[in-house]
Amino acid sequence: MGCDRWVMLVIPIIYALSNVSGELKRFEQPSKGDGSLSFLVIGDWGRRGAFNQSQVASQMGKMGEKLDIDFVVSTGDNFYDNGLRSVHDLAFEESFTNIYTANSLQKQWYSVLGNHDYRGDAEAQLSPLLTKIDTRWLCLRSFIVNAELAEIIFVDTTPFVKSYFQDPEDHIYDWRGINPRKHYIANLLKDVECALRESNAKWKIVVGHHAIKSVGHHGDTRELATHLLPILKANNVDFYMNGHDHCLEHISDTESPIQFLTSGAGSKAWRGDVKQLNREGLKFFYDGQGFMSVQLTQSNAEIAFYDFDGKILHRWNAFKQFGDHSSI
């Protein structure tokens, strides 16, 4: 039995409903004429330009133009400290519209929620009213982007983390649409597994806010390692991209071809806050501000990390042969 699907078209930054029949909405994102794809990845950014957010945005604009990017991915924690208060919160324009002003960044932004976003009015970020304010904005809990060459599955990872429910400290989370938590997670995992199993994309990418593997402040997310990672391994996922830790990071899985890529350095970073730099599989770690680029063709993927001055800090390539669906 096939997966139930929502199918939506993005042309190029406006989306329209095409079919409704399932849980995860699907957006069609055209690739370039030559079949290639390029995009930027940024996370943990919304601070009204402070903590070098504006400088990172400027360099993103330059690199976006150079790479002729097709879209931007946000890995969550879009607005600090406590998400948006409502759809009328001026932080949306002050931290997004007025910051990412370069022509090259006037493309679709695909965003997921982070834990800080859940501390405000989480549903405000999901509202189509924000898209009326800035047509680039597209944020859902979980969804799929079919970019022809690649299929990107965006996963709502915050509800996986038990401590937010059991020990929220002084924070108040907006769990509307989530409870009962176990039922929500079980359905989401089923949808993700089904989508990955049916995907024929050359490159399979999963995006979430929380890291599965990280040597940064928060470290590994145990719940994702237990419940999500086995699904990624079983379905030949190439890249898992996340934010949450305010750093740039690349870890190669020691048991599969999966690359764990952290881009959570869009504004405030945590200098010196690192665990286990000798961890097996660690390719790169940087505890300052910056962002990541992804360039894909049928046979090659190039990942690059940049600091807030635009300097390339780390570059890595994966190659595939015809018909191969796993990184080499």
Side-chain angles (χ1 to χ4, degrees):
M1 183 179 294
C3 300
D4 290 335
R5 293 179 179 176
W6 283 77
V7 180
M8 305 181 88
L9 306 176
V10 180
I11 316 173
I13 62 172
I14 301 173
Y15 60 94
L17 184 61
S18 174
N19 184 35
V20 275
S21 62
E23 292 299 322
L24 294 186
K25 295 182 182 179
R26 181 178 293 263
F27 299 86
E28 303 294 334
Q29 169 68 57
S31 57
K32 294 183 177 64
D34 62 2
S36 66
L37 194 69
S38 58
F39 58 96
L40 302 181
V41 184
I42 185 75
D44 304 80
W45 42 269
R47 297 183 187 271
R48 293 178 169 86
F51 296 99
N52 288 330
Q53 183 193 0
S54 293
Q55 288 89 328
V56 171
S58 175
Q59 294 302 327
M60 287 175 64
K62 294 176 182 178
M63 192 52 56
E65 182 177 1
K66 182 177 180 180
L67 300 181
D68 187 22
I69 61 168
D70 300 288
F71 54 90
V72 179
V73 166
S74 171
T75 59
D77 276 3
N78 306 314
F79 301 99
Y80 283 95
D81 275 331
N82 297 308
L84 295 180
R85 291 170 294 181
S86 72
V87 293
H88 305 294
D89 193 334
L90 293 178
F92 178 71
E93 292 173 90
E94 293 170 352
S95 290
F96 177 59
T97 302
N98 299 343
I99 301 297
Y100 302 100
T101 56
N103 288 336
S104 68
L105 303 181
Q106 306 307 304
K107 304 288 178 69
Q108 191 73 57
W109 282 57
Y110 296 108
S111 305
V112 290
L113 297 173
N115 55 299
H116 281 265
D117 299 311
Y118 268 102
R119 295 177 188 173
D121 181 349
E123 294 191 353
Q125 292 193 46
L126 313 179
S127 173
L129 292 176
L130 293 189
T131 307
K132 291 182 179 180
I133 297 172
D134 192 319
T135 56
R136 295 176 293 173
W137 185 255
L138 196 162
C139 182
L140 296 173
R141 297 188 196 276
S142 299
F143 60 101
I144 302 169
V145 173
N146 176 19
E148 300 176 10
L149 184 63
E151 194 150 87
I152 310 173
I153 300 179
F154 292 75
V155 179
D156 184 19
T157 60
T158 300
F160 282 81
V161 182
K162 231 182 247 186
S163 63
Y164 298 147
F165 294 82
Q166 295 180 346
D167 184 23
E169 299 175 338
D170 296 327
H171 305 300
I172 299 174
Y173 290 88
D174 181 4
W175 295 131
R176 287 175 296 170
I178 303 300
N179 288 316
R181 172 178 170 267
K182 288 184 178 180
H183 181 72
Y184 178 85
I185 292 172
N187 283 341
L188 178 53
L189 289 171
K190 179 182 177 182
D191 290 339
V192 170
E193 183 174 24
C194 188
L196 286 171
R197 187 173 65 246
E198 288 204 338
S199 176
N200 293 315
K202 189 73 174 180
W203 301 96
K204 295 182 182 182
I205 302 170
V206 175
V207 174
H209 177 63
H210 295 76
I212 295 179
K213 295 190 178 184
S214 172
V215 299
H217 173 81
H218 294 106
D220 298 357
T221 306
R222 180 177 52 82
E223 296 90 342
L224 295 181
T226 300
H227 299 292
L228 181 60
L229 182 55
I231 294 173
L232 307 191
K233 287 183 176 180
N235 290 281
N236 300 315
V237 167
D238 298 288
F239 308 115
Y240 178 78
M241 302 176 180
N242 62 273
H244 197 45
D245 272 332
H246 294 191
C247 61
L248 302 172
E249 187 175 10
H250 175 197
I251 296 176
S252 293
D253 191 32
T254 56
E255 300 174 352
S256 78
I258 300 173
Q259 307 300 314
F260 300 101
L261 306 169
T262 297
S263 183
S267 58
K268 188 176 183 179
W270 300 326
R271 286 285 188 188
D273 197 344
V274 59
K275 310 175 175 18
Q276 197 184 348
L277 274 177
N278 61 344
R279 177 173 184 162
E280 188 176 4
L282 180 64
K283 303 288 188 185
F284 163 74
F285 176 85
Y286 177 68
D287 56 357
Q289 293 99 343
F291 62 98
M292 180 173 79
S293 70
V294 181
Q295 298 178 80
L296 302 174
T297 67
Q298 283 287 337
S299 59
N300 182 66
E302 181 171 295
I303 309 296
F305 292 89
Y306 311 81
D307 67 11
F308 68 89
D309 285 324
K311 177 184 177 183
I312 296 178
L313 303 171
H314 174 69
R315 182 184 280 132
W316 182 86
N317 287 270
F319 301 96
K320 290 192 177 188
Q321 298 179 13
F322 182 77
D324 183 18
H325 287 276
S326 59
S327 299
I328 296 176

